[in-house]
Amino acid sequence: MFAAYLTVTILGAVFNGAAAVTYLIGHEYPKTQADMKGISRKWVPVLGMLLAAGTVGLLAGLAVPLLGTLAACGLVLYFIGAIIAHLRVGSRNIVGGIVFLSTATAVLTLGLIDHGPW
């Protein structure tokens, strides 16, 4: 079970790390997404930092399981919020959010199965 947990955790860290970099370097895509959702562009770096914190937490969870559990919970909440933000403005372009949410949920589930909540 640990091999599956490790694989999904690394995959989730890569996904979220890449997204965090995109948000933090000032790429245009997160800005247009914020505009579409009616969110101020000043929140884009904050969202990027949340993704970066989730990435670091997932990786730290390999050494301290509680950190991984908390990071995965945070990312699940983040992506539920992102999907709701899309649906709120009538956007049905939620496939990316579902993929990220599924990955975070898989990390959380496999982590709880592998080592429990602590």
Side-chain angles (χ1 to χ4, degrees), residues 23-103:
Y23 275 66
L24 293 172
I25 65 171
H27 193 274
E28 195 59 32
Y29 179 75
K31 293 176 185 175
T32 59
Q33 288 294 304
D35 293 342
M36 183 262 302
K37 295 172 198 152
I39 299 169
S40 172
R41 285 186 175 205
K42 72 177 183 174
W43 285 100
V44 171
V46 174
L47 296 172
M49 289 302 295
L50 290 173
L51 288 169
T55 301
V56 171
L58 291 180
L59 294 174
L62 296 173
V64 181
L66 179 60
L67 293 178
T69 301
L70 294 173
C73 286
L75 288 169
V76 166
L77 293 173
Y78 178 96
F79 290 111
I80 288 172
I83 291 169
I84 289 170
H86 272 273
L87 295 175
R88 181 179 57 86
V89 296
S91 171
R92 300 296 183 246
N93 186 15
I94 58 172
V95 174
I98 291 172
V99 169
F100 277 80
L101 175 61
S102 299
T103 305

